[in-house]
DNA sequence: ACATTGTTACCGAACGATCGCTAGAGCGGG
DNA sequence: CCCGCTCTAGCGATCGTTCGGTAACAATGT
C-alpha cells in the first residue's frame, strides 16, 4: 500500500495514486472485497477525495481494466510488427510479449483477468471487445500458419485459446523473486506455444 | 439460483442446497460480492437456517473448495490408474480427466480457481496442499516421460504448469450449449498437452 | 496595488443501506 | 418432552456515496 503510493507519487497525478492503491488492494481481496476506505488508505487520502477524481468505485475498476487490456494489445501488436514475416516467428513474438505483459504488469493483469464479472454491462461490453481484439491477433497468425503449411494443428482455434489462457495464467503464480526472469519465462512459453500448433519441420 | 435449489433438492441434504446456491452466487459475483442473504434466497431458506449447517460464510467457501479439489484429484488419479503404462498415454488420460472436470463441474472449478485469496490462513494451507498434490500427479508422469526418452521437452516443469493452467482455464470460457461437448474438448486438449512435451516419434 | 472570483484539490462528518451473525421462540416427528 | 430444524427480529459494524466547507493559487477587475 505504501509502495503503491510512493510509485504513484513518483510517476503520476493524483488519479494514478488512487489507481495503484486500488489495483494492489483488489489483488489481495478482489473488487467487492476492497472498500473505498481501503483504497483511500493505500493512497493516503480520504474517501471523499477519491470522488473528486472518479465518479464511482465502478469507474475505478473500468479504468484499471481498460488501461490494462489496451496496453496488452499495444505490447503484443508492437511485438508482432517488429517480428519477421514467418508465422512461427510471429507466434513466438506474440507469446513473448504476452508473457512479458503478464509478468511485468502482473497486478494489472490479475485484476483484468479476474474481475470481468464485477463490471457493469457497459464496462463489460468494452472489455469483451478488447479481449476479442487480443484473441484475433493470435488467431490471425495461427490461421495463416496453417494455410501456408507452416503449422499442422487440426484445431487452430483451440490451440489459440490454450495458448492465450496459458500465458494469461502466468500472472496467477509468477513471482518476481522466483527463479525465472520475465524474459526467460517468455522464451520458454514462446517455445511451448509454437509446439502447440505443431510446426512442420 | 432456482436451478441450484432444484438440483440440490433432487440430489442431497439441506447442506447441499446451501452449497449449490453459494457456488452459483459466487460464480456471478465472487465470495465477497455474495451475501449470506443471497445464498439463503437461492437455497429458499432464511439466513439463520444456514448457520445451523455452517459455522460461518468462510466455512461454506472452504467446504466448496476442498470438495472440488478433492474430486478433481480423485478424477485425475482414477484416469491415470485406468490408462496404459506409457507416459504419453498417461499424460493424455490426465488431461482428458482434468478438462472433463473443468467442464462437467464448471461452477465448482471456477470458485476453486478464483477464490483462494478469499480463504483464511487455515483454509488456504489446506487448499494449497491439495493443489500441490494435483500438480505432482502431472509432474511425475511428465518427468518419467522425459527420463525414459518419450518426451523431449527441455523444461518439463514449465510445460506442466502450462498444461495445468490451460486446462484449468477451460472453466472460464466453456459453455454447455457451445459447439464442443466435454469429451470432444478433452480429446483436443489431451492432444495439445502431449504436443507441449514434444513426444519423440 | 489590492480585492474578487473561479477552479482544483482535499477534508470531516454523516446519510441510508446492507453486511455477517445471533438470540430466542415455534413446530413437527420420535 | 426433547431434538432437529426452521423462523422472525435485530444486533453492531461497515458499505458506497454525498454534503458542506477549507485552503491554495491563478486570473481578472479596479
Amino acid at each position: 500500500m505504501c509502495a503503491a503510493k510512493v510509485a504513484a507519487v513518483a510517476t503520476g497525478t493524483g488519479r494514478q495514486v488512487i489507481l495503484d492503491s486500488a489495483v494492489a488492494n483488489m489483488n489481495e481481496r478482489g473488487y467487492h472485497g476492497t472498500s473505498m476506505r481501503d483504497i483511500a488508505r493505500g493512497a493516503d487520502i480520504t474517501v471523499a477525495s477519491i470522488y473528486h477524481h472518479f465518479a464511482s468505485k465502478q469507474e475505478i475498476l473500468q479504468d484499471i481494466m481498460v488501461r490494462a487490456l489496451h496496453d496488452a494489445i499495444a505490447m503484443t501488436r508492437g511485438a508482432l510488427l517488429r517480428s519477421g514475416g514467418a508465422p512461427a516467428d510471429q507466434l513466438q513474438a506474440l507469446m513473448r510479449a504476452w508473457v512479458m505483459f503478464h509478468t511485468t504488469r502482473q497486478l494489472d493483469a490479475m485484476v483484468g483477468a479476474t474481475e470481468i464479472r464485477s463490471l457493469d454491462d457497459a464496462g463489460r461490453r468494452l472489455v469483451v471487445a478488447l479481449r476479442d481484439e487480443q484473441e484475433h491477433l493470435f488467431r490471425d497468425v495461427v490461421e495463416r500458419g496453417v494455410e501456408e503449411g507452416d503449422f499442422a494443428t487440426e484445431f487452430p482455434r483451440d490451440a489459440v485459446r490454450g495458448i492465450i489462457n496459458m500465458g494469461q495464467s502466468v500472472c496467477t503464480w509468477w513471482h518476481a523473486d522466483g527463479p525465472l526472469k520475465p524474459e526467460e519465462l517468455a522464451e520458454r512459453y514462446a517455445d511451448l506455444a509454437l509446439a502447440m500448433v505443431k510446426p512442420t519441420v
Side-chain angles (χ1 to χ4, degrees), chain A residues 26-97:
Chain A
M26 290 181 188
N27 258 277
E28 290 179 22
R29 273 162 285 106
Y31 176 74
H32 290 291
T34 297
S35 70
M36 293 297 272
R37 286 162 181 85
D38 291 331
I39 298 174
R41 197 179 310 119
D44 207 16
I45 55 174
T46 61
V47 175
S49 293
I50 295 180
Y51 284 90
H52 177 74
H53 297 279
F54 295 92
S56 64
K57 187 183 174 188
Q58 177 69 208
E59 193 187 280
I60 297 178
L61 177 61
Q62 291 193 19
D63 205 285
I64 291 170
M65 296 196 68
V66 170
R67 278 172 128 85
L69 294 185
H70 182 274
D71 291 351
I73 291 174
M75 280 180 64
T76 46
R77 202 196 299 275
L80 178 60
L81 292 176
R82 261 178 272 109
S83 73
D89 288 338
Q90 295 187 336
L91 177 58
Q92 288 192 297
L94 277 179
M95 192 57 165
R96 266 190 290 265

Side-chain angles (χ1 to χ4, degrees), chain A residues 157-174:
Chain A
R157 292 281 175 107
D158 299 297
V160 165
R161 266 251 158 75
I163 288 170
I164 290 177
N165 285 333
M166 183 175 75
Q168 188 163 215
S169 297
V170 163
C171 70
T172 66
W173 59 265
W174 184 78

Side-chain angles (χ1 to χ4, degrees), chain A residues 13-29:
Chain A
T13 68
R15 230 180 126 94
Q16 193 60 45
V17 202
I18 296 168
L19 289 173
D20 288 344
S21 171
V23 167
N25 275 283
M26 290 181 188
N27 258 277
E28 290 179 22
R29 273 162 285 106

